Amino acid sequence: MSYALVVPSGMHAPDQEVASLMTHRPLRLVVATAAISAAALLLSACGGDATDTSAPSSNAKVEGAITVYNAQHEELSQAWVDAFTKETGVKVTIRNGSDTELSNQIVAEGKASPADVFLTENSPAMAQVENADLFADVDKATLEQVPSQFRPSTAKWTGIAARSTVLVYDKRKVKEDELPKSMLDLAKPEWKGRWAASPTGADFQAIVAALIELKGADAAEQWLTAMKQNAKPYKGNSTAMKAVNAGEVETALIYHYYYYGDQAGTGENSANVAPYFFKNQDPGAFLSVSGGGVLKSSKNPAAAQALLKFITGKAGQEVLHTGDSFEYAIASDVPANAALVPIADLQSPTVDPAKLNSKTVTDLMTKAGLL
Ligand SMILES: [Fe+2]
């Protein structure tokens, strides 16, 4: 079985995951880079060593403007920001990009970054910025809204939403009881050529990061080596699900919201597909935490902290509960969207999001020939 590389014509950079079924984002940061670099120079020339790490109190006066580097789905973050601006009057500028693109940019900009807040789809990009010591502590009032399993032990950023790993399968070809009991079984010879994934995306790489954390680097390397033999790579989770729906491949290892988003719409890319959750604390039951953090270098930390508090508060989490992002609400006791399997029933493994390391992931995946 050859390693069929299916790359749809499109405008996505290699590491940019398709954000949602509805949101295909062009890269806008390329054109913004020159302006950002100029701003960075200007800021460092002013000698602004803005490293206010003190967490402002949650009732500090909030005003002015902030800039959000956003790697979350554009519609979701726009809904959060619009409601926040309506409530507080704070003007918010959003710069969109992928997890890795924006984490790399923040690290390159360092203290001169114009970003006040960083929002991601997955944890490894947050961990990268945290490891560069660029995050301020998150306000205590915000942390108190988020159960500890949905935020890093370090409290340098917080979870804002979550997404579950899922194996979607072609109902016409496979019965549920024929599916593997564990994600690790996809490495077995009988699964050769029978599953798809999007290895270049931050979504899949977060699953690999969790595998490393749960089973160790050696076990992860063996699994990735088998994946190179067994899996059909597609570019983007929605493309992988479409391939299952079209009968090209029996299953795909993706995130849950691609299926539920399509089902809530036309269903045209998932009519022949069903979701299968590994559960049982399996690495394949990994629940990936989307992150939000405030940069130490923020010139308006009170407003930046207020945005995180808003997103993790009742109103922000209700956007997840009632909207069409189909990502999981995780904070302020707001339940999941009614269409989803409740989080408690996913039986996800316990993983500290602060320990998910993107560098080890890309090293191992490169070694395995997947990148
Ligand atoms: Fe995604």
Side-chain angles (χ1 to χ4, degrees), residues 17-21 25 71-73 121-122 163 202-204 236-238 254-255 257-258 327:
E17 184 55 87
V18 176
S20 76
L21 295 172
R25 297 176 300 204
Q72 248 295 349
H73 298 173
E121 288 200 86
N122 298 286
R163 49 268 301 285
D203 286 352
F204 185 80
N237 283 339
S238 57
I254 60 174
Y255 279 159
Y257 56 82
Y258 291 90
E327 294 195 50

Side-chain angles (χ1 to χ4, degrees), residues 185-206:
D185 295 338
L186 292 170
K188 292 180 175 173
E190 64 256 38
W191 282 95
K192 188 166 186 169
R194 297 174 61 199
W195 62 287
S198 174
T200 55
D203 286 352
F204 185 80
Q205 291 177 16

Side-chain angles (χ1 to χ4, degrees), residues 15-180:
D15 67 343
Q16 188 182 35
E17 184 55 87
V18 176
S20 76
L21 295 172
M22 291 73 84
T23 311
H24 288 235
R25 297 176 300 204
L27 290 175
R28 291 176 196 154
L29 282 163
V30 178
V31 288
T33 305
I36 288 164
S37 304
L41 279 173
L42 187 63
L43 286 169
S44 42
C46 295
D49 184 12
T51 50
D52 179 11
T53 56
S54 61
S57 95
S58 55
N59 49 19
K61 186 163 168 50
V62 169
E63 57 188 3
I66 54 174
T67 295
V68 174
Y69 277 21
N70 175 52
Q72 248 295 349
H73 298 173
E74 285 183 32
E75 291 95 337
L76 175 58
S77 291
Q78 195 64 56
W80 277 329
V81 160
D82 288 348
F84 173 72
T85 299
K86 199 173 168 199
E87 187 176 292
T88 62
V90 172
K91 186 171 174 288
V92 181
T93 302
I94 299 182
R95 290 185 180 163
N96 292 303
S98 73
D99 278 8
T100 315
E101 194 178 27
L102 291 178
S103 61
N104 284 338
Q105 180 157 352
I106 288 172
V107 169
E109 290 167 347
K111 289 175 183 170
S113 178
D116 297 285
V117 174
F118 184 31
L119 304 177
T120 64
E121 288 200 86
N122 298 286
S123 301
M126 299 301 292
Q128 185 192 351
V129 174
E130 176 181 350
N131 292 338
D133 196 25
L134 294 172
F135 279 135
D137 291 333
V138 174
D139 254 12
K140 196 161 168 280
T142 299
L143 296 178
E144 282 169 356
Q145 298 182 142
V146 185
S148 58
Q149 70 263 37
F150 301 125
R151 52 183 166 83
S153 56
T154 54
K156 282 292 183 185
W157 48 278
T158 180
I160 54 172
R163 49 268 301 285
S164 176
T165 312
V166 68
L167 190 72
V168 291
Y169 64 98
D170 185 339
K171 293 183 285 189
R172 300 165 300 183
K173 294 186 176 169
V174 199
K175 293 194 188 74
E176 185 169 322
D177 62 9
E178 295 164 348
L179 292 169

Side-chain angles (χ1 to χ4, degrees), residues 16 74 120 147 149 199 219 222 236 277 326 348 354 371:
Q16 188 182 35
E74 285 183 32
T120 64
Q149 70 263 37
Q222 281 174 30
F277 294 92
F326 294 99
S348 299
L371 295 179

Side-chain angles (χ1 to χ4, degrees), residues 149-150 162-165 214 277-288 328 342-351:
Q149 70 263 37
F150 301 125
R163 49 268 301 285
S164 176
T165 312
L214 290 164
F277 294 92
F278 288 103
K279 302 190 174 181
N280 198 32
Q281 284 75 46
D282 190 76
F286 170 59
L287 191 67
S288 181
Y328 279 101
I343 277 191
D345 295 349
L346 294 173
Q347 300 172 13
S348 299
T350 303
V351 178

